[in-house]
Amino acid sequence: MRNKLKQEAQAVMEEAKRCLYCVEAPCASACPSGVRPGQFIRHLKCGDLKSAKKVIMDANSLGGVCGYVCPSEELCQSRCTREKIDRSVLIRELQKYVCDNAPYKAPRTARTGKKAAVVGAGPAGISCAAVLARSGVDVVVYDSSDEAGGLIASEIPGYRVPKTVLKRDIRESIGEGAEFALGESLEADDIKILCERYDAVFIAAGLAADRHTGIADGDISKHVLTSSEFLRRFGGENPGSVFGTVCVIGGGDSAVDVAETALRNGADRSIIVYRRSREEMPATDESLLEAVENGAEILYDTSLTGVQAGSPVNASFIQNKLGAPGNDGRRSFEAIQGSDFFMRCDLVVFALGKTEDEGIRDFCVKNSAIRADSQETV
């Protein structure tokens, strides 16, 4: 069953009644942001949407956004006790309904006189700023973009997360508790200055840079984009038109977003090319199924080998066969000799993932910064 629920009060209440309110709810332990689904669903069942939203937003400053894009089928819903009876409760859809239909005001304590800088206005930076602001700390959030929200604002298409939802989450979770210095691109030397000026600095630069494509054969710049470039150009409120055949290299949700966005903006064909099988593909079932239903095509076990200049360009591929799993658990692959083929493409989009800013990373290492992903000093 697709993880969708008609946003009607009666349907929502019927779904909420399916929750078993487990004493030690396994769904709660599977939520990375610490939301307790049983607790907010209990408030929802009683018609107290305001209290339900407080449970969500106190734990997750971007609770509304997560109601749209969280891979709940792989997290909380995969652990739902009801799954053993019939099907899991549609937790994400209930969260979406609550956040869309109730107000929230973050709690505030007396000002402490402390000042903190947050570098990066993506999910991590927003969450940090919200916690600091409600704890009485004066916060300034710096970001190179002119809009807060990080990749949610710039690269997740509006049909997946309305921009109004992101803005509402930021407004409700932070409010007047933080100042935003947007359009400020900071280098390592700038961060040194911030460390002298503030009592604490939280670096939430994230993985903002696209991985390099490795393809540079001929004059193909007009026909080759990264997923970030494509989604910023075509996934916003006033997108341009896409023509002809679009070939997307990659297997994550960004690749799927590119493929579906291309079709929504006029592409004749949109083809996802992934070097392994569906089993290894990181894209969620829900996003992939939706893209396929809207016309996206998929080539599994296929690698791009080159892009030759032309209009359209001529992309070359080769088919793969999978081998044994490696140290990371993913199966290896090798090309099948003689399986080469070509495809004429109007646009090739590389969705190969993200990497960190090397300058900021080196600064953190040299200054014994604490990594948020490990809780250890590096």
Side-chain angles (χ1 to χ4, degrees), residues 297-362:
E297 305 169 45
I298 307 174
L299 287 178
Y300 293 114
D301 300 314
T302 303
S303 292
L304 176 74
T305 56
V307 181
Q308 289 76 44
S311 186
V313 294
N314 197 30
S316 57
F317 301 88
I318 194 167
Q319 294 179 325
N320 301 320
K321 61 180 178 180
L322 297 182
N327 294 333
D328 61 356
R330 304 174 73 194
R331 296 179 66 183
S332 61
F333 63 92
E334 62 178 299
I336 301 173
Q337 297 303 314
S339 65
D340 309 75
F341 66 96
F342 297 87
M343 185 186 307
R344 303 290 282 179
C345 303
D346 295 274
L347 190 61
V348 177
V349 183
F350 288 89
L352 305 178
K354 300 286 188 177
T355 187
E356 59 194 349
D357 182 287
E358 294 183 0
I360 293 179
R361 179 199 62 196
D362 293 343

Side-chain angles (χ1 to χ4, degrees), residues 25-37:
C27 61
S29 63
C31 178
S33 63
V35 174
R36 300 186 64 83

Side-chain angles (χ1 to χ4, degrees), residues 164-277:
T164 54
V165 173
L166 172 62
K167 292 178 180 179
R168 184 192 65 208
D169 275 1
I170 295 174
R171 181 182 67 253
E172 291 185 336
S173 61
I174 296 180
E176 303 297 326
E179 176 186 343
F180 283 86
L182 301 177
E184 296 280 349
S185 183
L186 303 180
E187 304 293 339
D189 290 341
D190 299 312
I191 296 176
K192 288 182 181 179
I193 297 175
L194 294 182
C195 290
E196 297 172 356
R197 186 184 304 169
Y198 292 90
D199 296 295
V201 177
F202 181 78
I203 301 175
L207 304 177
D210 288 305
R211 293 190 183 280
H212 195 269
T213 64
I215 300 293
D217 186 4
D219 183 16
I220 57 175
S221 59
K222 294 181 180 179
H223 300 278
V224 176
L225 297 173
T226 65
S227 59
S228 294
E229 292 169 336
F230 180 90
L231 291 170
R232 287 170 178 167
R233 185 181 302 181
F234 299 105
E237 296 178 351
N238 299 299
S241 297
V242 181
F243 303 96
T245 297
V246 177
C247 187
V248 189
I249 312 302
D253 282 332
S254 289
V256 177
D257 284 345
V258 169
E260 186 167 357
T261 298
L263 291 169
R264 287 172 177 263
N265 287 278
D268 297 322
R269 296 181 68 191
S270 185
I271 307 166
I272 299 171
V273 180
Y274 182 57
R275 59 188 181 178
R276 294 184 172 92
S277 70

Side-chain angles (χ1 to χ4, degrees), residues 3 32 65-73 75-76 92 95 160 286:
N3 188 12
V65 169
C66 285
Y68 283 80
V69 296
C70 176
S72 55
E73 291 179 330
L75 298 171
C76 57
R92 193 192 74 193
Q95 178 166 323
R160 289 191 63 197
E286 183 179 8

